[in-house]
Coordinates of all heavy atoms in Angstrom, one line a residue:
L1458 N 6.9 -2.2 -15.4 CA 5.7 -1.6 -15.6 C 5.3 -0.8 -14.4 O 5.4 -1.2 -13.3 CB 4.6 -2.7 -15.9 CG 3.2 -2.2 -16.0 CD1 3.0 -1.4 -17.3 CD2 2.2 -3.4 -16.0
A1459 N 4.9 0.4 -14.7 CA 4.4 1.3 -13.6 C 3.1 1.9 -14.0 O 2.8 2.1 -15.1 CB 5.5 2.4 -13.4
Y1460 N 2.3 2.1 -12.9 CA 1.0 2.7 -13.1 C 0.6 3.5 -11.9 O 1.1 3.2 -10.8 CB -0.1 1.7 -13.5 CG -0.3 0.6 -12.5 CD1 -1.3 0.8 -11.5 CD2 0.4 -0.5 -12.5 CE1 -1.5 -0.2 -10.5 CE2 0.2 -1.5 -11.6 CZ -0.7 -1.4 -10.6 OH -0.9 -2.3 -9.7
L1461 N -0.3 4.4 -12.1 CA -0.8 5.2 -10.9 C -2.3 4.8 -10.7 O -3.1 4.9 -11.6 CB -0.7 6.7 -11.2 CG -1.3 7.7 -10.2 CD1 -0.6 7.6 -8.9 CD2 -1.3 9.1 -10.7
F1462 N -2.6 4.3 -9.6 CA -3.9 3.9 -9.2 C -4.4 4.7 -8.0 O -3.7 4.7 -7.0 CB -3.9 2.4 -8.9 CG -5.3 1.8 -8.5 CD1 -6.2 1.5 -9.6 CD2 -5.7 1.6 -7.2 CE1 -7.4 1.0 -9.3 CE2 -6.9 1.1 -6.9 CZ -7.8 0.8 -7.9
I1463 N -5.5 5.4 -8.2 CA -6.0 6.3 -7.1 C -7.3 5.7 -6.6 O -8.2 5.5 -7.3 CB -6.2 7.7 -7.7 CG1 -4.9 8.3 -8.2 CG2 -6.8 8.6 -6.6 CD1 -5.1 9.6 -9.0
S1464 N -7.3 5.5 -5.3 CA -8.5 5.0 -4.6 C -8.5 5.3 -3.2 O -7.5 5.5 -2.6 CB -8.5 3.4 -4.8 OG -9.6 2.9 -4.2
H1465 N -9.7 5.3 -2.6 CA -9.8 5.4 -1.1 C -10.0 4.0 -0.5 O -10.0 3.8 0.7 CB -11.1 6.2 -0.7 CG -10.9 7.7 -0.9 ND1 -11.3 8.3 -2.0 CD2 -10.3 8.6 -0.2 CE1 -11.0 9.6 -2.0 NE2 -10.3 9.8 -0.8
D1466 N -10.1 3.0 -1.4 CA -10.3 1.6 -0.9 C -9.0 0.9 -0.8 O -8.4 0.3 -1.7 CB -11.2 0.8 -1.9 CG -11.6 -0.5 -1.4 OD1 -11.0 -1.1 -0.5 OD2 -12.7 -1.0 -1.9
L1467 N -8.4 0.9 0.4 CA -7.1 0.3 0.6 C -7.1 -1.2 0.5 O -6.0 -1.8 0.2 CB -6.5 0.7 2.0 CG -6.2 2.2 2.1 CD1 -5.5 2.4 3.5 CD2 -5.3 2.6 1.0
A1468 N -8.2 -1.9 0.6 CA -8.3 -3.3 0.3 C -7.9 -3.6 -1.1 O -7.2 -4.5 -1.4 CB -9.6 -3.9 0.7
V1469 N -8.5 -2.8 -2.0 CA -8.2 -2.9 -3.5 C -6.7 -2.5 -3.7 O -6.0 -3.2 -4.4 CB -9.2 -2.1 -4.3 CG1 -8.8 -2.1 -5.8 CG2 -10.6 -2.6 -4.2
V1470 N -6.3 -1.4 -3.2 CA -5.0 -0.9 -3.4 C -4.0 -2.0 -2.9 O -2.9 -2.2 -3.6 CB -4.7 0.4 -2.6 CG1 -3.3 0.8 -2.6 CG2 -5.6 1.5 -3.2
A1471 N -4.2 -2.7 -1.8 CA -3.3 -3.7 -1.3 C -3.2 -4.9 -2.2 O -2.1 -5.4 -2.3 CB -3.8 -4.2 0.1
Q1472 N -4.2 -5.2 -3.0 CA -4.1 -6.3 -3.9 C -3.4 -5.9 -5.2 O -2.8 -6.8 -5.9 CB -5.5 -6.8 -4.3 CG -6.2 -7.5 -3.1 CD -5.4 -8.7 -2.6 OE1 -5.0 -9.5 -3.4 NE2 -5.2 -8.7 -1.3
L1473 N -3.4 -4.6 -5.6 CA -2.8 -4.2 -6.8 C -1.4 -3.6 -6.7 O -0.8 -3.4 -7.8 CB -3.8 -3.1 -7.5 CG -5.2 -3.6 -7.9 CD1 -6.0 -2.4 -8.4 CD2 -5.1 -4.6 -8.9
S1474 N -1.0 -3.2 -5.6 CA 0.2 -2.4 -5.4 C 1.3 -3.1 -4.6 O 1.0 -3.7 -3.6 CB -0.2 -1.1 -4.8 OG -1.2 -0.5 -5.5
D1475 N 2.5 -2.8 -5.0 CA 3.7 -3.2 -4.2 C 4.1 -2.1 -3.3 O 4.5 -2.3 -2.2 CB 4.9 -3.5 -5.1 CG 4.7 -4.7 -6.0 OD1 4.1 -5.7 -5.5 OD2 5.1 -4.7 -7.2
R1476 N 3.9 -0.9 -3.7 CA 4.2 0.3 -2.9 C 2.9 1.2 -2.9 O 2.2 1.3 -3.9 CB 5.4 1.1 -3.4 CG 6.7 0.3 -3.3 CD 7.9 1.1 -3.7 NE 8.1 2.3 -3.0 CZ 8.5 2.5 -1.8 NH1 8.9 1.4 -1.1 NH2 8.7 3.6 -1.2
I1477 N 2.7 1.9 -1.7 CA 1.6 2.8 -1.6 C 2.0 4.1 -1.1 O 2.9 4.2 -0.2 CB 0.6 2.2 -0.5 CG1 0.0 0.8 -1.0 CG2 -0.5 3.1 -0.2 CD1 -0.8 0.1 0.0
A1478 N 1.5 5.2 -1.6 CA 1.6 6.5 -1.1 C 0.2 7.0 -0.8 O -0.7 7.0 -1.6 CB 2.3 7.4 -2.2
V1479 N 0.1 7.4 0.5 CA -1.2 8.0 1.0 C -1.1 9.5 0.9 O -0.2 10.1 1.5 CB -1.5 7.5 2.4 CG1 -2.8 8.1 2.9 CG2 -1.6 6.0 2.4
M1480 N -2.1 10.1 0.3 CA -2.1 11.6 0.2 C -3.2 12.1 1.2 O -4.3 11.6 1.3 CB -2.4 12.0 -1.2 CG -1.3 11.7 -2.2 SD -1.5 12.4 -3.8 CE -1.2 14.1 -3.4
Y1481 N -2.9 13.3 1.8 CA -3.8 14.0 2.7 C -3.6 15.5 2.5 O -2.4 16.0 2.5 CB -3.5 13.6 4.1 CG -4.4 14.3 5.1 CD1 -5.7 13.9 5.2 CD2 -3.9 15.2 6.0 CE1 -6.6 14.5 6.1 CE2 -4.7 15.9 6.9 CZ -6.1 15.5 7.0 OH -6.9 16.1 7.9
S1482 N -4.6 16.2 2.2 CA -4.6 17.7 2.0 C -3.6 18.1 0.9 O -2.8 19.0 1.1 CB -4.2 18.4 3.3 OG -5.3 18.2 4.2
G1483 N -3.5 17.3 -0.2 CA -2.7 17.6 -1.3 C -1.2 17.2 -1.2 O -0.4 17.5 -2.1
G1484 N -0.8 16.5 -0.2 CA 0.5 16.1 0.0 C 0.6 14.6 0.4 O -0.3 14.1 0.9
I1485 N 1.8 14.0 0.2 CA 2.0 12.6 0.6 C 2.2 12.6 2.1 O 3.2 13.3 2.6 CB 3.1 12.0 -0.1 CG1 2.7 11.9 -1.6 CG2 3.5 10.6 0.4 CD1 3.8 11.3 -2.5
C1486 N 1.4 11.9 2.9 CA 1.5 11.8 4.3 C 2.2 10.5 4.8 O 2.7 10.4 5.9 CB 0.2 12.0 5.0 SG -1.0 10.8 4.7
E1487 N 2.2 9.5 3.9 CA 2.8 8.2 4.2 C 3.1 7.5 2.9 O 2.4 7.6 1.9 CB 1.8 7.4 5.0 CG 2.3 6.2 5.6 CD 1.6 5.7 6.8 OE1 0.6 6.3 7.2 OE2 2.0 4.6 7.3
I1488 N 4.3 6.9 2.9 CA 4.7 6.1 1.7 C 5.5 4.9 2.2 O 6.2 5.0 3.2 CB 5.5 7.0 0.8 CG1 5.7 6.3 -0.6 CG2 6.8 7.5 1.4 CD1 6.2 7.3 -1.7
G1489 N 5.4 3.8 1.5 CA 6.1 2.6 1.8 C 5.6 1.4 1.0 O 4.7 1.6 0.2
T1490 N 6.1 0.3 1.4 CA 5.6 -0.9 0.7 C 4.2 -1.1 1.2 O 3.8 -0.7 2.3 CB 6.4 -2.2 1.1 OG1 6.3 -2.5 2.5 CG2 7.9 -2.0 0.7
A1491 N 3.4 -1.9 0.4 CA 2.0 -2.2 0.8 C 2.0 -2.8 2.2 O 1.2 -2.5 3.1 CB 1.3 -3.0 -0.2
A1492 N 2.9 -3.8 2.4 CA 3.0 -4.5 3.7 C 3.3 -3.5 4.9 O 2.6 -3.6 5.9 CB 4.1 -5.6 3.6
E1493 N 4.2 -2.6 4.7 CA 4.5 -1.7 5.8 C 3.4 -0.8 6.1 O 3.0 -0.6 7.3 CB 5.7 -0.8 5.4 CG 7.0 -1.6 5.3 CD 8.1 -0.8 4.6 OE1 7.8 0.2 3.9 OE2 9.3 -1.3 4.7
V1494 N 2.8 -0.2 5.1 CA 1.7 0.8 5.3 C 0.5 0.2 5.9 O -0.1 0.7 6.8 CB 1.4 1.5 4.0 CG1 0.2 2.4 4.1 CG2 2.6 2.4 3.5
L1495 N 0.1 -1.0 5.4 CA -1.1 -1.6 5.9 C -0.9 -2.3 7.3 O -1.9 -2.3 8.1 CB -1.6 -2.7 4.9 CG -2.0 -2.2 3.6 CD1 -2.3 -3.3 2.6 CD2 -3.1 -1.2 3.7
A1496 N 0.3 -2.7 7.6 CA 0.5 -3.4 8.9 C 0.6 -2.4 10.0 O 0.2 -2.7 11.1 CB 1.7 -4.3 8.8
A1497 N 1.2 -1.3 9.8 CA 1.5 -0.3 10.8 C 1.4 1.1 10.3 O 2.4 1.8 10.1 CB 2.8 -0.6 11.5
P1498 N 0.2 1.6 10.1 CA 0.1 3.0 9.5 C 0.6 4.0 10.6 O 0.3 3.9 11.8 CB -1.4 3.2 9.3 CG -2.1 2.1 10.1 CD -1.1 1.0 10.3
H1499 N 1.3 5.0 10.1 CA 1.9 6.0 11.0 C 1.1 7.3 11.0 O 1.1 8.0 12.0 CB 3.3 6.4 10.5 CG 4.3 5.2 10.7 ND1 4.7 4.8 11.9 CD2 4.9 4.5 9.8 CE1 5.6 3.8 11.7 NE2 5.7 3.5 10.4
H1500 N 0.3 7.6 9.9 CA -0.4 8.8 9.9 C -1.9 8.5 10.2 O -2.4 7.5 9.8 CB -0.4 9.4 8.5 CG -0.8 10.8 8.4 ND1 -2.2 11.1 8.2 CD2 -0.2 12.0 8.5 CE1 -2.3 12.4 8.2 NE2 -1.1 13.0 8.4
P1501 N -2.5 9.4 11.0 CA -3.9 9.2 11.4 C -4.9 9.0 10.2 O -5.9 8.2 10.2 CB -4.3 10.4 12.2 CG -3.0 11.0 12.6 CD -2.0 10.6 11.6
Y1502 N -4.6 9.7 9.1 CA -5.5 9.5 7.9 C -5.4 8.1 7.3 O -6.4 7.5 6.9 CB -5.1 10.6 6.8 CG -6.0 10.5 5.6 CD1 -7.4 10.9 5.7 CD2 -5.6 10.1 4.4 CE1 -8.2 10.9 4.7 CE2 -6.4 10.1 3.3 CZ -7.8 10.4 3.4 OH -8.6 10.4 2.4
T1503 N -4.2 7.6 7.3 CA -4.1 6.2 6.8 C -4.8 5.2 7.7 O -5.5 4.3 7.2 CB -2.6 5.8 6.7 OG1 -1.8 6.8 6.0 CG2 -2.4 4.4 6.1
A1504 N -4.7 5.4 9.0 CA -5.4 4.6 10.0 C -6.9 4.7 9.8 O -7.7 3.7 9.8 CB -5.0 4.9 11.4
M1505 N -7.4 5.9 9.5 CA -8.8 6.2 9.2 C -9.3 5.5 8.0 O -10.4 4.9 8.0 CB -9.1 7.7 9.1 CG -10.6 8.1 9.1 SD -11.4 8.0 7.5 CE -10.3 9.0 6.5
L1506 N -8.5 5.5 6.9 CA -8.8 4.8 5.7 C -9.0 3.3 6.0 O -9.9 2.6 5.5 CB -7.8 5.1 4.6 CG -7.8 6.4 3.9 CD1 -6.7 6.6 3.0 CD2 -9.1 6.7 3.2
L1507 N -8.0 2.8 6.7 CA -8.1 1.3 7.0 C -9.3 1.0 7.9 O -9.9 -0.1 7.7 CB -6.8 0.9 7.7 CG -5.6 0.8 6.8 CD1 -4.3 0.6 7.6 CD2 -5.7 -0.3 5.8
S1508 N -9.6 1.8 8.8 CA -10.8 1.6 9.7 C -12.1 1.7 9.0 O -13.1 1.3 9.5 CB -10.7 2.4 10.9 OG -11.0 3.8 10.6
S1509 N -12.1 2.4 7.8 CA -13.4 2.7 7.1 C -13.7 1.5 6.1 O -14.7 1.6 5.5 CB -13.3 4.0 6.4 OG -12.4 3.9 5.3
L1510 N -12.9 0.5 6.1 CA -13.1 -0.6 5.2 C -14.4 -1.3 5.6 O -14.6 -1.5 6.8 CB -12.0 -1.6 5.2 CG -10.7 -1.1 4.6 CD1 -9.6 -2.1 4.8 CD2 -10.8 -0.8 3.1
P1511 N -15.3 -1.6 4.7 CA -16.5 -2.3 5.0 C -16.2 -3.7 5.7 O -15.2 -4.3 5.4 CB -17.2 -2.6 3.7 CG -16.5 -1.8 2.7 CD -15.2 -1.4 3.2
S1512 N -17.0 -4.0 6.7 CA -16.7 -5.2 7.5 C -17.3 -6.5 6.9 O -16.9 -7.5 7.3 CB -17.3 -5.0 8.9 OG -18.7 -4.8 8.9
V1513 N -18.2 -6.4 5.9 CA -18.8 -7.6 5.4 C -17.8 -8.4 4.7 O -17.7 -9.6 4.9 CB -19.9 -7.2 4.4 CG1 -20.5 -8.4 3.7 CG2 -21.0 -6.4 5.1
A1514 N -17.0 -7.9 3.8 CA -16.0 -8.7 3.0 C -14.6 -8.2 3.2 O -13.8 -8.4 2.3 CB -16.4 -8.6 1.5
T1515 N -14.3 -7.6 4.3 CA -13.0 -7.0 4.5 C -12.2 -7.8 5.5 O -12.7 -8.2 6.6 CB -13.2 -5.6 5.1 OG1 -14.0 -4.8 4.2 CG2 -11.9 -4.9 5.3
P1516 N -11.0 -8.1 5.1 CA -10.1 -8.8 6.1 C -9.9 -7.9 7.3 O -9.9 -6.7 7.2 CB -8.8 -9.0 5.4 CG -9.1 -8.8 3.9 CD -10.3 -7.9 3.9
S1517 N -9.7 -8.5 8.5 CA -9.5 -7.8 9.7 C -8.0 -7.2 9.6 O -7.2 -7.6 8.8 CB -9.6 -8.7 10.9 OG -8.6 -9.6 10.9
M1518 N -7.8 -6.3 10.5 CA -6.4 -5.7 10.6 C -5.4 -6.8 10.9 O -4.3 -6.7 10.4 CB -6.4 -4.6 11.7 CG -7.0 -3.3 11.2 SD -6.3 -2.7 9.7 CE -4.7 -2.4 10.1
S1519 N -5.8 -7.8 11.7 CA -4.9 -8.9 12.0 C -4.5 -9.6 10.7 O -3.4 -10.1 10.5 CB -5.4 -9.8 13.1 OG -6.6 -10.4 12.6
T1520 N -5.5 -9.7 9.8 CA -5.3 -10.4 8.5 C -4.3 -9.6 7.7 O -3.4 -10.1 7.1 CB -6.6 -10.6 7.8 OG1 -7.5 -11.4 8.6 CG2 -6.4 -11.3 6.5
F1521 N -4.5 -8.2 7.7 CA -3.6 -7.4 7.0 C -2.2 -7.5 7.6 O -1.2 -7.6 6.9 CB -4.0 -5.9 7.0 CG -5.0 -5.5 6.0 CD1 -6.2 -4.9 6.3 CD2 -4.8 -5.7 4.6 CE1 -7.1 -4.5 5.4 CE2 -5.7 -5.4 3.7 CZ -6.9 -4.8 4.0
S1522 N -2.1 -7.5 8.9 CA -0.8 -7.6 9.6 C -0.2 -9.0 9.2 O 1.0 -9.0 8.9 CB -1.0 -7.5 11.1 OG 0.2 -7.6 11.7
E1523 N -0.9 -10.0 9.2 CA -0.4 -11.3 8.9 C 0.1 -11.4 7.4 O 1.2 -11.9 7.1 CB -1.4 -12.4 9.1 CG -1.7 -12.7 10.6 CD -3.0 -13.5 10.8 OE1 -3.5 -14.0 9.8 OE2 -3.4 -13.6 11.9
M1524 N -0.7 -10.8 6.5 CA -0.3 -10.7 5.1 C 0.9 -9.9 5.0 O 1.9 -10.3 4.2 CB -1.5 -10.1 4.3 CG -1.2 -9.9 2.8 SD -2.5 -9.2 1.9 CE -2.4 -7.5 2.4
A1525 N 1.0 -8.8 5.7 CA 2.2 -7.9 5.6 C 3.4 -8.6 6.1 O 4.5 -8.6 5.5 CB 2.0 -6.6 6.4
Q1526 N 3.3 -9.4 7.2 CA 4.4 -10.1 7.7 C 4.9 -11.2 6.7 O 6.1 -11.4 6.6 CB 4.1 -10.8 9.1 CG 3.9 -9.7 10.2 CD 3.4 -10.3 11.5 OE1 3.1 -11.5 11.5 NE2 3.2 -9.5 12.5
R1527 N 4.0 -11.9 6.1 CA 4.3 -12.9 5.1 C 5.0 -12.2 3.9 O 6.0 -12.8 3.4 CB 3.1 -13.7 4.6 CG 2.6 -14.6 5.7 CD 1.6 -15.6 5.1 NE 0.5 -15.0 4.4 CZ -0.7 -14.6 5.0 NH1 -0.9 -14.9 6.2 NH2 -1.6 -14.1 4.2
Q1528 N 4.5 -11.1 3.5 CA 5.2 -10.4 2.4 C 6.6 -9.9 2.7 O 7.5 -10.1 1.9 CB 4.3 -9.2 2.0 CG 3.0 -9.5 1.3 CD 2.2 -8.3 1.0 OE1 2.5 -7.2 1.4 NE2 1.1 -8.5 0.2
M1529 N 6.8 -9.4 3.9 CA 8.1 -9.0 4.3 C 9.0 -10.1 4.4 O 10.2 -10.1 4.0 CB 8.0 -8.2 5.6 CG 7.3 -6.8 5.4 SD 7.0 -6.0 6.9 CE 8.6 -5.1 7.1
A1530 N 8.5 -11.3 4.9 CA 9.4 -12.5 5.0 C 9.7 -13.0 3.6 O 10.8 -13.6 3.5 CB 8.6 -13.6 5.8
A1531 N 8.9 -12.8 2.6 CA 9.2 -13.2 1.3 C 9.9 -12.2 0.5 O 10.0 -12.2 -0.7 CB 7.8 -13.5 0.6
G1532 N 10.5 -11.2 1.1 CA 11.3 -10.2 0.5 C 10.4 -9.1 -0.1 O 10.8 -8.4 -1.1
G1533 N 9.2 -8.9 0.4 CA 8.4 -7.8 0.0 C 7.5 -8.1 -1.2 O 6.8 -7.3 -1.8
K1534 N 7.5 -9.4 -1.7 CA 6.7 -9.8 -2.8 C 5.3 -10.1 -2.4 O 5.0 -10.6 -1.3 CB 7.3 -11.0 -3.5 CG 8.6 -10.8 -4.0 CD 9.2 -12.0 -4.7 CE 10.5 -11.7 -5.4 NZ 11.5 -12.6 -5.1
R1535 N 4.3 -9.6 -3.2 CA 2.9 -9.8 -3.0 C 2.6 -11.3 -3.1 O 3.2 -12.0 -3.9 CB 2.0 -9.0 -3.9 CG 2.1 -7.5 -3.6 CD 1.2 -6.8 -4.5 NE 1.7 -6.9 -5.9 CZ 0.9 -7.0 -6.9 NH1 -0.4 -7.1 -6.8 NH2 1.4 -7.1 -8.1
E1536 N 1.5 -11.7 -2.4 CA 1.0 -13.1 -2.6 C 0.2 -13.3 -3.9 O -0.3 -12.4 -4.4 CB 0.1 -13.4 -1.4 CG 0.8 -13.4 -0.1 CD -0.1 -13.7 1.1 OE1 -1.3 -13.5 1.0 OE2 0.5 -14.2 2.1

C-alpha cells in the first residue's frame, strides 16, 4: 500500500510514514527513512520544520533521536 501524505507537521508524518521526502521551493531537499530524516536532518528547512513543532505535546529531539535509533535497530520498522 502506498499513499502520499502532505503536511508541515513532522510529528504526524513520523507516526504515519516509513519514508519521508521534504520539499523546499518546489523540489525535494531531503529524502530517507523517517528515522534517518528525524534523527539527523541534513537540510536547514527540515531542521526548521522540526524546531517549529509545538512544545506542549511534542517529543523532544532527543526523543525523536531515541525513536529513530530504535527503529534503525529494528531494521527500519516503525514502533
Side-chain angles (χ1 to χ4, degrees):
L1458 174 67
Y1460 59 91
L1461 175 64
F1462 181 77
I1463 301 171
S1464 176
H1465 286 98
D1466 188 339
L1467 291 185
V1469 173
V1470 172
Q1472 292 300 312
L1473 296 174
S1474 306
D1475 293 321
R1476 294 186 53 79
I1477 296 174
V1479 178
M1480 294 187 70
Y1481 179 72
S1482 294
I1485 293 175
C1486 64
E1487 188 157 2
I1488 191 167
T1490 66
E1493 293 167 343
V1494 172
L1495 296 175
H1499 294 289
H1500 195 275
Y1502 183 68
T1503 307
M1505 187 276 306
L1506 286 173
L1507 287 168
S1508 70
S1509 70
L1510 294 172
S1512 61
V1513 175
T1515 302
S1517 67
M1518 284 306 296
S1519 62
T1520 303
F1521 276 126
S1522 179
E1523 291 166 6
M1524 179 179 70
Q1526 289 173 358
R1527 286 193 306 270
Q1528 287 177 351
M1529 292 174 86
K1534 296 183 177 135
R1535 290 182 293 140
E1536 296 178 337

